[in-house]
């Protein structure tokens, strides 16, 4: 074990700290027993630069599929090509409405303490991805959102614009391994909005050039049916929302709606600070998922009630014996 893992074992013995260590050990055991892991990412984990640890997890074969929001998909690439132009606002809690307007006037889009530069990030990627959308549109070719991003990254078109070490881009690592990615609700993202605009302006003729929605569930279903007979599939959830709820539902859909004999998820962990109440999916305790036929009585289940920007890199470091 490395120094980080040893530190965690020595100091993190109770409460959420202990839950984090327990979940990390169970993650490792799941892999050692021949299982594989799907990681879901809500929030703005790409802007939080989770790629520094997640990319290495992918390269080492510790992550085998990803579900994420459209924001996480694109913001990893924004950071890859525009990192030097990002602006950090450490005292973001003190900002006045006028301060926020001043950031807007500078074309800076704030995510908590970090501002994404519109011109250097969003518009640069818009120009590059629009070429691929239009090329596919002309050929009557249809791809999922992550497939377009894979095509963009693997083409090398952006390589001269990299402003971080590309080894810290989780999406590039995933593209190089052709990892399955599920992006539910992709339309609710900057590029999704941009795509809608180009449809309305007539720059793209076929609204279905970018596949999404139900087609992602079918794509996930095919992958789960092909993979689960060979490997127990675990579910490591960062945050909540659609990035977690959409993919975990593939199991009850196959078992109940399709009447197929597929196994339940073989491991479950959620990092969340959501209050457990009021019908919230993000705040639901893992046992509730038994009633939805997502998890079983004996499925290893963990919930770590803490900040994912702190916890996720530590769990990944533990799994990698760092």
């Amino acid at each position: 074990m490395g120094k980080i893992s040893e530190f965690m074992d020595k100091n993190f013995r109770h409460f959420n700290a202990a839950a984090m260590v327990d979940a990390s050990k169970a993650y490792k055991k799941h892999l050692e027993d021949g299982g594989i892991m799907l990681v879901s990412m809500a929030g703005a984990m790409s802007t939080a630069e989770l790629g520094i640890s997640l990319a290495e997890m992918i390269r080492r074969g510790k992550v085998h599929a990803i579900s994420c929001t459209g924001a996480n998909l694109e913001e990893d690439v924004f950071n890859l090509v525009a990192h030097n132009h990002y602006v950090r606002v450490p005292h973001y809690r003190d900002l006045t409405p006028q301060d926020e307007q001043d950031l807007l006037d500078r074309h800076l889009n704030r995510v908590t303490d970090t501002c994404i530069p519109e011109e250097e990030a969003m518009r640069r990627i818009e120009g590059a991805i629009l070429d691929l959308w239009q090329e596919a549109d002309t050929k009557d070719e249809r791809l999922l959102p992550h497939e377009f991003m894979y095509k963009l990254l693997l083409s090398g078109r952006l390589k001269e614009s990299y402003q971080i070490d590309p080894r810290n881009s989780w999406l590039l690592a995933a593209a190089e391994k052709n990892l399955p990615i599920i992006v539910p609700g992709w339309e609710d993202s900057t590029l999704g909005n941009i795509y809608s605009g180009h449809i309305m302006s007539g720059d793209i003729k076929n609204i279905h050039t970018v596949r999404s929605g139900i087609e992602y569930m079918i794509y996930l279903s095919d992958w789960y049916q092909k993979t689960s007979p060979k490997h127990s599939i675990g579910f490591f959830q960062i945050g909540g929302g659609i990035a977690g709820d959409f993919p975990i539902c593939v199991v009850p859909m196959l078992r109940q709606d399709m009447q197929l004999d597929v196994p339940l998820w073989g491991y479950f962990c959620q990092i969340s600070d959501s209050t457990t109440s009021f019908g919230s999916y993000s705040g639901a305790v893992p046992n509730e998922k038994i009633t939805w036929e997502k998890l079983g009585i004996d499925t290893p289940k963990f919930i770590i009630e803490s900040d994912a920007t702190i916890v996720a890199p530590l769990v990944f470091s533990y799994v990698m014996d760092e």
Side-chain angles (χ1 to χ4, degrees):
M1 295 181 68
K3 291 184 178 180
I4 296 174
S5 303
E6 290 177 355
F7 177 87
M8 290 170 65
D9 276 341
K10 180 179 179 180
N11 293 278
F12 297 165
R13 299 189 177 193
H14 303 280
F15 315 138
N16 276 299
M20 178 170 60
V21 172
D22 291 343
S24 302
K25 289 179 177 178
Y27 191 137
K28 289 180 66 175
K29 185 177 186 304
H30 179 76
L31 299 183
E32 289 164 0
D33 290 344
I36 64 175
M37 193 68 70
L38 180 147
V39 170
S40 76
M41 288 189 289
M45 296 306 296
S46 290
T47 292
E49 298 190 72
L50 186 65
I52 294 170
S53 56
L54 179 57
E56 187 63 21
M57 285 281 284
I58 293 169
R59 282 190 291 270
R60 294 195 195 181
K62 310 293 187 183
V63 173
H64 307 85
I66 288 175
S67 172
C68 68
T69 56
N72 274 311
L73 185 76
E74 65 194 16
E75 287 177 15
D76 182 80
V77 183
F78 292 166
N79 182 60
L80 180 64
V81 302
H83 181 80
N84 296 346
H85 300 278
Y86 277 53
V87 175
R88 185 160 179 264
V89 187
H91 305 298
Y92 65 92
R93 291 182 179 85
D94 300 329
L95 294 178
T96 66
Q98 185 58 54
D99 293 332
E100 304 279 18
Q101 181 64 47
D102 292 343
L103 291 173
L104 172 63
D105 293 342
R106 294 167 59 193
H107 302 283
L108 294 171
N109 298 266
R110 185 170 70 83
V111 181
T112 311
D113 71 343
T114 303
C115 296
I116 303 174
E118 179 183 343
E119 293 300 323
E120 293 82 2
M122 299 164 183
R123 298 308 165 193
R124 177 178 292 175
I125 298 304
E126 176 185 7
I129 201 72
L130 178 59
D131 289 345
L132 296 182
W133 289 340
Q134 291 180 320
E135 178 185 332
D137 191 48
T138 301
K139 297 178 180 178
D140 289 326
E141 181 182 21
R142 303 180 62 240
L143 298 175
L144 292 162
H146 79 276
E147 293 175 323
F148 276 109
M149 297 301 274
Y150 277 5
K151 196 170 185 179
L152 177 61
L153 288 172
L154 296 176
S155 72
R157 173 171 176 166
L158 300 176
K159 200 167 185 179
E160 293 184 359
S161 301
Y162 291 173
Q163 295 187 357
I164 63 168
D165 184 341
R167 291 182 64 81
N168 291 338
S169 165
W170 71 261
L171 189 59
L172 181 57
E176 291 170 347
K177 281 188 170 282
N178 195 28
L179 230 64
I181 295 186
I182 300 93
V183 192
W186 172 77
E187 300 85 351
D188 180 24
S189 68
T190 298
L191 289 180
N193 295 163
I194 287 171
Y195 180 75
S196 298
H198 285 294
I199 290 289
M200 290 186 284
S201 64
D203 298 326
I204 300 169
K205 308 302 180 186
N206 183 0
I207 193 173
H208 300 297
T209 293
V210 179
R211 302 166 60 198
S212 58
I214 297 302
E215 292 186 85
Y216 255 129
M217 181 56 79
I218 296 170
Y219 168 83
L220 174 59
S221 300
D222 289 342
W223 176 80
Y224 198 94
Q225 290 178 76
K226 291 174 183 175
T227 306
S228 58
K230 305 172 188 175
H231 305 279
S232 174
I233 305 175
F235 199 102
F236 187 84
Q237 181 174 325
I238 302 173
I242 194 171
D245 196 22
F246 183 93
I248 204 168
C249 286
V250 71
V251 170
M253 186 273 285
L254 290 171
R255 291 170 67 94
Q256 298 176 15
D257 303 325
M258 297 293 294
Q259 296 293 299
L260 297 175
D261 185 21
V262 300
L264 301 172
W265 295 97
Y267 163 101
F268 177 80
C269 176
Q270 180 181 5
I271 305 170
S272 175
D273 59 3
S274 180
T275 302
T276 305
S277 63
F278 304 120
S280 161
Y281 167 76
S282 302
V285 296
N287 279 349
E288 185 176 295
K289 293 172 175 57
I290 295 173
T291 73
W292 293 90
E293 209 170 4
K294 299 169 183 175
L295 307 178
I297 294 173
D298 299 323
T299 306
K301 309 173 194 68
F302 307 90
I303 184 163
I304 309 166
E305 296 179 298
S306 189
D307 186 330
T309 62
I310 299 169
V311 169
L314 287 172
V315 172
F316 293 162
S317 293
Y318 197 102
V319 171
M320 292 187 287
D321 290 321
E322 292 182 343

